[in-house]
Amino acid sequence: MIIKSVNLETVCGITSKIPDNQLSEFAFAGKSNVGKSSLINALMNRKSYARTSSQPGKTQTINFYNINDEVYLVDLPGYGYAKVSQSEKEKWGWMIESYLKKSKVLRQVFLLVDIRHEPGANDKQMYEWIVHNGYRPIIIATKADKIKRSQLQKQLKLIREGLGLEKSDVMIPFSAETKQGREEIWEYLEGADQP
Ligand code: GDP
């Protein structure tokens, strides 16, 4: 897709209502620091439009980026901050759950995991939660430039087993540095049915 316009249209906090959008939404979930902002910026051809890097304690919001008035990229709040209080975690869970349940135009959820590491318990929980809400996530293995080509298959297998993926689940290695995987992800964004 040729990116003509990018607009952070809605920022949802804990008390905000989930917007009743008409265009298809594609949501991105993952641990903080996994490279979610970098991926969203790469998809939008922007250097730093999506918030980058995790400032501990930063406000947890769901951000809706309108692309070309054609689709929304939805940046879900990152998880896995060590220093977050239990009540913050509960707010986070409530926000994501209400979004997954309430959106009528969510077409696909992408779950990001770092290609270098075995998925953690919270990644597995997120995967199961997405599935429980009726979506089959596409797994994006981020920071693919950080491993050798010869390690790729081994790492993908580690992630597949760690998350307990099914054979049909799609995994896409991605790098914000080299843009490897960007086109493939866009194919999923463009190929989904319109609402
Ligand atoms: P977020 O917290 O998930 O939004 O993660 P960020 O996008 O802010 O990235 C966290 C850190 O990882 C930053 O220092 C990025 O520069 C780095 N990073 C993100 N994606 C990549 C990538 O594909 N390759 C490399 N080498 N570094 C990356």
Side-chain angles (χ1 to χ4, degrees), residues 16 24 26 60 65 85 87 98 101 125 148 150 162 168 173:
S16 321
S24 292
F26 297 88
Q60 297 270 283
Y65 295 91
S85 66
S87 75
S98 65
K101 288 206 189 316
Q125 220 167 39
K148 294 200 189 91
S150 57
S168 56

Side-chain angles (χ1 to χ4, degrees), residues 111-123:
L111 175 60
L112 280 62
V113 293
D114 192 315
I115 201 158
R116 295 168 297 173
H117 309 303
E118 194 176 346
N122 44 14
D123 295 315

Side-chain angles (χ1 to χ4, degrees), residues 31-39 51-54 58 142-146 174-177:
K31 206 181 279 184
S32 63
N33 230 26
V34 71
K36 189 155 52 62
S37 315
S38 302
L39 166 70
R51 56 185 171 191
T52 39
S53 217
S54 22
K58 75 179 173 184
T142 63
K143 310 191 186 183
D145 58 282
K146 295 224 185 203
F174 173 79
S175 163
E177 294 286 318

Side-chain angles (χ1 to χ4, degrees), residues 45-160:
N45 284 343
R46 294 294 188 273
K47 276 213 162 67
S48 57
Y49 194 68
R51 56 185 171 191
T52 39
S53 217
S54 22
Q55 304 123 21
K58 75 179 173 184
T59 324
Q60 297 270 283
T61 55
I62 302 180
N63 293 358
F64 292 78
Y65 295 91
N66 178 326
I67 314 294
N68 294 350
D69 275 325
E70 289 179 53
V71 293
Y72 288 97
L73 303 187
V74 180
D75 188 0
L76 298 174
Y79 51 84
Y81 291 106
K83 287 195 181 130
V84 165
S85 66
Q86 189 57 31
S87 75
E88 283 296 314
K89 280 186 195 154
E90 278 164 19
K91 273 193 225 164
W92 173 91
W94 187 87
M95 264 167 62
I96 298 215
E97 174 135 45
S98 65
Y99 171 67
L100 292 178
K101 288 206 189 316
K102 283 183 193 156
S103 173
K104 296 190 198 85
V105 289
L106 175 57
R107 293 285 163 258
Q108 183 75 60
V109 183
F110 293 89
L111 175 60
L112 280 62
V113 293
D114 192 315
I115 201 158
R116 295 168 297 173
H117 309 303
E118 194 176 346
N122 44 14
D123 295 315
K124 192 165 166 55
Q125 220 167 39
M126 189 73 222
Y127 172 76
E128 282 166 5
W129 208 12
I130 295 166
V131 171
H132 176 78
N133 278 284
Y135 296 93
R136 286 237 67 94
I138 290 177
I139 311 302
I140 299 181
T142 63
K143 310 191 186 183
D145 58 282
K146 295 224 185 203
I147 60 163
K148 294 200 189 91
R149 258 182 182 280
S150 57
Q151 292 178 301
L152 181 71
Q153 291 310 325
K154 181 174 142 266
Q155 290 310 110
L156 293 181
K157 185 162 177 268
L158 193 75
I159 294 168
R160 200 170 263 288

